[in-house]
Amino acid sequence: MKIEVRGLDAYFRSTHALRSVSLGVPANTVLAIIGPSGCGKSTFVRCINRMHELVPGARQTGQIFVDGKDLHARGVDPVDLRRRVGMVFQRPNPFPTMSIYDNVVAGLRLNGIGGDHAELVEKSLRQAALWDEVKDRLHTSALSLSGGQQQRLCIARALAIGPEVMLMDEPASALDPIATAKIEELIRELRQQLTIVIVTHNMQQAARVSDHTAFFYMGELIEHGETEQIFTNPREPRTEDYVTGKFG
Amino acid sequence: MKRRRLVNHLMTALCGFGLLLALIPLGSILWLVISRGAPALNLDFFTQLPAPVGETGGGVGNAILGTLSMVGIGCILGVPVGVGAGVFLAERGNGRTGDAVRFTAEVLSGVPSIVVGIVAYGLVVLPMHRFSALAGGVALAVLMIPALARSTEELVRLVPGSLREASLALGVPQWRTSLRVVLRTALGGIVTAVLLSIARAAGETAPLLFTALNNQYWNFKADQPTASLTVQIYNYAVSPYQDWHQKAWGAALVLLLLVGALSLIAKALARNRFGTAR
Amino acid sequence: MTKVHTDKSYDKELDELRAKLLTLGGKVENEIALSMRALAERDSKVAEEVLDADREVNRLEVIVDETCRRLLALRQPAASDLRLITTALKVVVDLERIGDLAVNIAQRAIDLNQSPPLRPVHDLQKLAELCQKQLRAALDSFVDGDAARAETVIKDDDLVDALYHNLFNELLGLMMEDSRNIRRANSLMFVAKHLERLGDHATNVAEMVIYMVRGTDVRHPHSRGLK
């Protein structure tokens, strides 16, 4: 297991956001997390790169292992962790003051690693399937790109620091269907090199891109299994109700 | 239907009238300063020392230099503190300390500028046993800090949280994120805020009376009394000499141009606040 | 299933699909009953009715297909809904085939009615009854979502096969007895074969019902290396 979560509980002040969640993600697979709004999906992925603890009043108990190492063990620096566990957010968030090129290498530059990164920029942009669209305007503003391109730029930016795990928090929810399809194709490509956890509101998207699916409801992990099983023959009635649209 | 249109026109007319009313004093000030001040302007006015009473010619060169140097000192002292406090308030200012700092800034910005002058007098002039450009600069810095802190806080808070998250998720430590992403993104706005506070400081007279005093000669030292446009205007204006009145108008015009230019630059910068790279 | 879809029109469409499939099943049952009556009572008019009835069955098959396609395209069904629709798509083929078999039997009846009756073959009536029972049970298991009942249908197919073999031998005996029997006995042999096929289709329906209810595919365990 690349990621192993054991008895994870997460809180926002008095809100119990995650209740005793345990699951594993094998290396080079895609785990999709589905569930209604406020079910703890985002909180769950934010625990994996320790972004959750940055929110005032947030805390968590339980263990998360990446490559068998406890994230909360003494001596684990969350900053180092985040270089190994990349993240892509719901809305494309390129740095507005930087060019396309600078955005890709932002992870290095902001950490004070200077120098010429032309090769890395090309490699990352190619991995993010954006190279051909931007190679002639690398030094123009990142904001000149379309929403879908911006999101792929954000993926390139996350790839440039060489992560092993990629967390995606609804990466296509602000994009049109074609841009969404490109992101989904990209996710399947990236699985060759990375382990991916993707949060999505779009069940068809989860069905299309993931190997395993986890259904969260009210902070609990209700069911976790192979995606095909979850969508054709869920074991839990609540999963059944959710994937068939019988909720609320 | 007809009535609604009528009311609409009436209200529009009222608003226009209000605008006109507000513009009258502004326009008359501009007109007065330009019409009276323009005849006084010539090259000597910018480059020469003030002439003694009775002599013609001379200028306010030393006062222009004094104002620029004291505003410069004020910036060097005030901008880092003001901007730093603003960043602190925005990034970490949600607790008690933040409230205390914010309250202090609030009070400080409400303090009359003459009081600030007296404070600088007590703080700098008395221990140094002399009036100085440094004391004037300190007074101006104290005036700049609260406004700068509040506007910096607002500007930093305007930077979308998603950018902060993006940076943190790239494994960038918090302090670097604050400095190189958040502050960098808000920079355009902060520069605007700094320019506006400079413009405001340049127009202050009261705090300089007790601190920089005045000087009839060129002064290039920070620990010496220094002339400034505002104090010079004051001195000339209260004098009984017609020629000095003329010079006061000229100096007022120079000050107006200086402040106006700063405001225009600030506006131009503000327009492309989220300006593109390079 | 007490819970309803958040979008109630989706429920309505699924209910419509179920209803259409049941109508189709009822019509097919009727076809079989008519064709067997045509054979037993030597009534060619009844046989003609079967041919008419089958046109209605064919029409319904197309409608069920369309309904399924529409649901798949517009609703992106998942889980039990998906299983219902895929089941419907497959079951409708079996039911239509059963209708065709009924038509074949009816045609044999018309043919046989041209000649004097053969000595009554009791097992044929028994086989027909058993196959009708199997079809009824398969359709009921679909309506009730009753996988246990569907399992019984699958198990009882052995009875159908056994009976068919007996009948086959009996008819073979008739042929050997007197060569003038051959043509008629051969026709009856076809009827028996059609009934046996009908039983197989009922079994297919039952297998799909088990998939629909439990989500497990019980077909061809040996070919798939199961068990």
Side-chain angles (χ1 to χ4, degrees):
Chain A
M1 289 288 159
K2 185 77 185 174
I3 306 169
E4 176 96 53
V5 178
R6 280 189 215 150
L8 179 69
D9 277 75
Y11 308 81
F12 290 108
R13 296 212 166 79
S14 58
T15 314
H16 199 163
L18 285 176
R19 294 166 191 269
S20 185
V21 173
S22 298
L23 62 77
V25 189
N28 298 97
T29 62
V30 179
L31 170 69
I33 299 184
I34 59 170
S37 296
C39 69
K41 310 186 289 285
S42 289
T43 308
F44 177 75
V45 292
R46 280 159 175 276
C47 284
I48 300 176
N49 69 346
R50 293 184 63 177
M51 292 282 279
H52 172 67
E53 64 200 53
L54 295 175
V55 181
R59 65 198 171 83
Q60 65 188 70
T61 60
Q63 291 168 301
I64 304 174
F65 299 88
V66 173
D67 282 332
K69 270 195 199 149
D70 188 349
L71 298 192
H72 293 91
R74 210 170 279 191
V76 175
D77 181 356
V79 169
D80 286 335
L81 171 72
R82 290 181 204 129
R83 288 174 203 167
R84 287 169 51 215
V85 181
M87 188 159 186
V88 174
F89 299 85
Q90 182 172 7
R91 297 206 155 265
N93 53 2
F95 297 122
T97 56
M98 297 184 193
S99 67
I100 293 169
Y101 182 102
D102 290 342
N103 260 283
V104 177
V105 293
L108 299 174
R109 290 261 175 90
L110 291 173
N111 281 313
I113 304 166
D116 184 18
H117 303 297
E119 237 171 73
L120 178 70
V121 168
E122 180 173 345
K123 182 172 158 248
S124 306
L125 285 171
R126 277 189 195 283
Q127 274 185 309
L130 188 61
W131 175 252
D132 289 331
E133 289 161 63
V134 302
K135 63 183 174 198
D136 299 322
R137 47 169 174 154
L138 289 176
H139 295 291
T140 57
S141 165
L143 295 185
S144 66
L145 300 175
S146 71
Q149 289 173 326
Q150 287 187 16
Q151 191 63 302
R152 276 179 284 149
L153 176 62
C154 292
I155 292 173
R157 180 176 67 185
L159 288 172
I161 47 175
E164 302 149 35
V165 173
M166 184 75 89
L167 308 173
M168 297 181 154
D169 192 354
E170 298 184 43
S173 66
L175 305 181
D176 70 58
I178 293 168
T180 301
K182 282 188 179 161
I183 300 281
E184 288 175 3
E185 188 193 8
L186 189 54
I187 291 170
R188 275 189 290 268
E189 296 273 319
L190 291 176
R191 184 176 54 175
Q192 318 284 327
Q193 309 142 40
L194 299 166
T195 306
I196 297 172
V197 181
I198 174 174
V199 170
T200 177
H201 266 305
N202 181 334
M203 282 183 276
Q204 276 70 46
Q205 181 168 72
R208 285 191 296 264
V209 302
S210 70
D211 301 298
H212 298 94
T213 297
F215 170 59
F216 280 64
Y217 181 57
M218 309 263 282
E220 271 179 78
L221 173 61
I222 303 296
E223 186 168 355
H224 169 222
E226 284 186 16
T227 298
E228 193 187 327
Q229 178 247 314
I230 296 284
F231 284 97
T232 60
N233 190 21
R235 279 186 291 270
E236 284 288 327
R238 278 176 291 186
T239 316
E240 162 86 29
D241 289 347
Y242 186 69
V243 299
T244 54
K246 291 177 192 151
F247 238 73
Chain B
M1 187 68 193
K2 228 175 166 184
R3 192 172 158 269
R4 202 184 66 200
R5 216 178 277 176
L6 199 73
V7 171
N8 186 24
H9 285 312
L10 193 72
M11 286 303 172
T12 312
L14 273 174
C15 289
F17 182 69
L19 177 72
L20 210 66
L21 223 56
L23 280 176
I24 287 170
L26 192 69
S28 58
I29 288 172
L30 272 174
W31 170 246
L32 209 62
V33 172
I34 292 171
S35 63
R36 299 261 186 113
L41 296 192
N42 52 43
L43 189 63
D44 282 355
F45 192 77
F46 291 97
T47 56
Q48 297 299 310
L49 288 173
V53 191
E55 279 181 35
T56 54
V60 292
N62 60 336
I64 294 173
L65 177 75
T67 290
L68 291 179
S69 61
M70 279 189 289
V71 166
I73 293 169
C75 277
I76 290 166
L77 297 174
V79 169
V81 177
V83 171
V87 172
F88 171 82
L89 285 177
E91 297 273 286
R92 293 285 167 84
N94 291 322
R96 286 249 174 102
T97 330
D99 286 342
V101 173
R102 215 169 281 121
F103 180 72
T104 311
E106 209 81 59
V107 171
L108 204 57
S109 63
V111 171
S113 56
I114 190 135
V115 176
V116 172
I118 294 168
V119 169
Y121 176 82
L123 233 57
V124 186
V125 178
L126 287 182
M128 286 176 73
H129 302 294
R130 70 163 76 93
F131 297 101
S132 65
L134 183 67
V138 167
L140 294 184
V142 172
L143 274 172
M144 287 164 81
I145 287 168
L148 212 46
R150 289 317 298 270
S151 45
T152 301
E153 180 188 355
E154 291 305 316
L155 290 161
V156 169
R157 279 189 194 275
L158 277 180
V159 175
S162 61
L163 290 184
R164 196 185 316 259
E165 282 191 326
S167 173
L168 291 172
L170 287 173
V172 179
Q174 295 232 28
W175 67 272
R176 271 183 195 270
T177 297
S178 294
L179 208 65
R180 300 197 49 179
V181 174
V182 177
L183 200 58
R184 173 70 189 81
T185 306
L187 197 63
I190 292 172
V191 169
T192 307
V194 167
L195 288 178
L196 288 175
S197 72
I198 287 174
R200 202 194 141 209
E204 286 292 348
T205 317
L208 299 181
L209 285 171
F210 302 104
T211 50
L213 199 66
N214 204 348
N215 192 331
Q216 294 303 307
Y217 306 100
W218 293 104
N219 170 39
F220 300 101
K221 288 182 180 151
D223 63 347
Q224 295 298 323
T226 303
S228 63
L229 276 171
T230 44
V231 173
Q232 196 77 338
I233 292 167
Y234 173 75
N235 284 341
Y236 280 159
V238 296
S239 76
Y241 313 109
Q242 188 61 39
D243 180 41
W244 281 16
H245 288 176
Q246 174 75 26
K247 289 221 164 62
W249 284 112
L253 181 56
V254 170
L255 191 60
L256 201 70
L257 290 175
L258 196 71
V259 172
L262 281 174
S263 298
L264 283 180
I265 294 170
K267 252 211 172 115
L269 283 173
R271 202 167 295 138
N272 52 11
R273 240 192 67 208
F274 285 105
T276 54
R278 291 170 197 219
Chain C
M1 210 143 297
T2 47
K3 267 214 160 144
V4 294
H5 288 88
T6 311
D7 182 351
K8 304 236 170 26
S9 65
Y10 187 15
D11 271 322
K12 230 180 96 196
E13 287 171 30
L14 288 172
D15 286 344
E16 262 173 41
L17 174 63
R18 265 188 217 101
K20 277 174 191 149
L21 209 55
L22 283 180
T23 314
L24 181 58
K27 293 217 184 293
V28 169
E29 280 186 304
N30 187 44
E31 270 190 78
I32 292 291
L34 284 176
S35 62
M36 288 313 293
R37 213 175 91 204
L39 192 69
E41 297 175 5
R42 300 179 61 76
D43 188 341
S44 295
K45 269 214 183 94
V46 175
E48 298 286 348
E49 276 178 48
V50 175
L51 304 186
D52 284 340
D54 198 52
R55 274 190 279 279
E56 177 64 9
V57 165
N58 291 344
R59 200 181 62 84
L60 269 172
E61 183 200 11
V62 173
I63 291 175
V64 168
D65 264 9
E66 274 172 7
T67 310
C68 289
R69 269 200 303 274
R70 199 181 61 232
L71 280 163
L72 284 173
L74 303 184
R75 299 290 186 177
Q76 288 96 38
S80 60
D81 300 337
L82 179 65
R83 299 202 304 271
L84 167 65
I85 292 165
T86 48
T87 298
L89 272 173
K90 302 213 64 163
V91 163
V92 77
V93 176
D94 283 308
L95 292 179
E96 195 274 338
R97 282 297 298 151
I98 294 174
D100 289 348
L101 292 171
V103 169
N104 291 346
I105 294 172
Q107 280 165 342
R108 290 285 165 190
I110 293 170
D111 190 32
L112 282 166
N113 291 348
Q114 314 289 319
S115 342
L118 198 67
R119 196 175 69 208
V121 190
H122 290 296
D123 277 355
L124 188 63
Q125 206 54 43
K126 261 167 76 186
L127 180 64
E129 275 163 23
L130 181 59
C131 288
Q132 279 174 289
K133 201 192 102 210
Q134 286 279 81
L135 177 59
R136 157 65 44 86
L139 288 172
D140 284 352
S141 70
F142 174 76
V143 178
D144 302 335
D146 185 346
R149 190 153 185 191
E151 276 175 333
T152 317
V153 171
I154 294 167
K155 212 175 78 225
D156 287 354
D157 194 49
D158 291 346
L159 299 179
V160 175
D161 289 345
L163 206 51
Y164 169 67
H165 283 295
N166 286 346
L167 193 55
F168 188 87
N169 290 332
E170 193 182 341
L171 288 167
L172 211 57
L174 271 177
M175 289 186 203
M176 289 193 290
E177 230 170 64
D178 185 344
S179 62
R180 282 170 305 177
N181 287 344
I182 290 182
R183 199 166 168 278
R184 283 168 292 170
N186 186 46
S187 276
L188 286 181
M189 222 177 235
F190 269 107
V191 172
K193 183 67 201 162
H194 294 327
L195 288 172
E196 188 269 339
R197 288 299 301 153
L198 189 162
D200 289 346
H201 286 298
T203 310
N204 286 352
V205 171
E207 284 169 346
M208 286 311 292
V209 168
I210 291 175
Y211 169 70
M212 181 182 84
V213 176
R214 295 188 182 149
T216 46
D217 200 329
V218 294
R219 293 173 305 166
H220 321 302
H222 301 295
S223 318
R224 295 190 297 153
L226 302 173
K227 282 179 188 172

